[in-house]
Amino acid sequence: MKRTVLLLTPLAIALVGSGSAMAQGLPDGEGRDVYENVCGACHGADIVIGSQGSKTRWEETVDAMKNRGASGSEEDFKIVTNYLARYFGQSVNMNTATPAELETDLGLKKAEVDAIVAARTAAKIANFDALVKVPGVNVKELTALKARLKF
Ligand code: HEC
């Protein structure tokens, strides 16, 4: 009896983690499809959703998964690392981060950074809703980055 339970559990996890439920939870950004192909082979999006780390941390995780048998090209692993570093990177405070941090950490365009800096100089950006109302920002991209944005 015990043996049956042990065999069924990984199957149940695999079923829960597969398919569209996984795609829905992942930020829609460059590299998501590669993440799904390479990492989705063994577990769902929930293994990364809710966690945040530096690029180094994600490099280490991806390396560890290679050792566990994740298959893909070196290019695939690079894309996955960049995807995780961007959308599951450390938090950035939209009111106090320097313009350089907004540009390099979040990958925002210069014009967008200028718009955010102008807006927050006029008045503190209260929350995500206020941020996406700033004229000139890329709402789709900021939505994908939402988990990292603090105010
Ligand atoms: C061949 C199967 C397999 C693939 C493919 C795979 N993983 Fe894993 N992953 C595992 C196993 C097994 C564990 C549990 C490891 C443990 O408990 O130490 C795990 C654990 C994790 C964890 C939690 C533990 C930690 O080290 O932080 C993360 C995050 C993770 N995987 C991310 C990824 C990412 C990102 C990819 C794609 C590059 C990936 N995995 C691909 C098998 C896999």
Side-chain angles (χ1 to χ4, degrees):
M1 192 61 206
K2 204 162 187 199
R3 180 160 294 174
T4 316
V5 173
L6 286 175
L7 284 171
L8 282 174
T9 309
L11 178 66
I13 292 169
L15 288 173
V16 168
S18 69
S20 62
M22 174 169 159
Q24 276 165 17
L26 285 169
D28 183 11
E30 191 187 337
R32 183 174 81 170
D33 51 340
V34 182
Y35 174 93
E36 284 171 359
N37 287 338
V38 174
C39 312
C42 293
H43 40 63
D46 55 305
I47 200 96
V48 292
I49 285 173
S51 68
Q52 290 180 273
S54 63
K55 182 152 189 191
T56 311
R57 188 227 143 158
W58 287 121
E59 272 162 3
E60 286 164 6
T61 301
V62 170
D63 265 354
M65 294 307 131
K66 277 197 240 175
N67 294 334
R68 288 195 176 275
S71 59
S73 65
E74 278 314 305
E75 183 61 19
D76 288 342
F77 289 120
K78 215 171 96 188
I79 291 169
V80 169
T81 305
N82 287 337
Y83 175 77
L84 293 169
R86 179 133 199 243
Y87 298 104
F88 297 91
Q90 283 158 335
S91 296
V92 175
N93 186 303
M94 299 309 284
N95 286 295
T96 57
T98 65
E101 284 166 348
L102 295 176
E103 212 173 323
T104 51
D105 289 6
L106 293 177
L108 302 184
K109 298 214 162 53
K110 177 80 171 59
E112 212 175 347
V113 171
D114 290 347
I116 291 167
V117 170
R120 76 187 190 184
T121 307
K124 184 175 186 280
I125 301 171
N127 50 35
F128 183 77
D129 291 345
L131 176 67
V132 294
K133 287 197 187 105
V134 173
V137 299
N138 181 339
V139 178
K140 181 172 177 262
E141 192 59 30
L142 288 173
T143 302
L145 289 164
K146 192 173 179 183
R148 298 183 61 190
L149 310 182
K150 299 286 172 281
F151 297 91

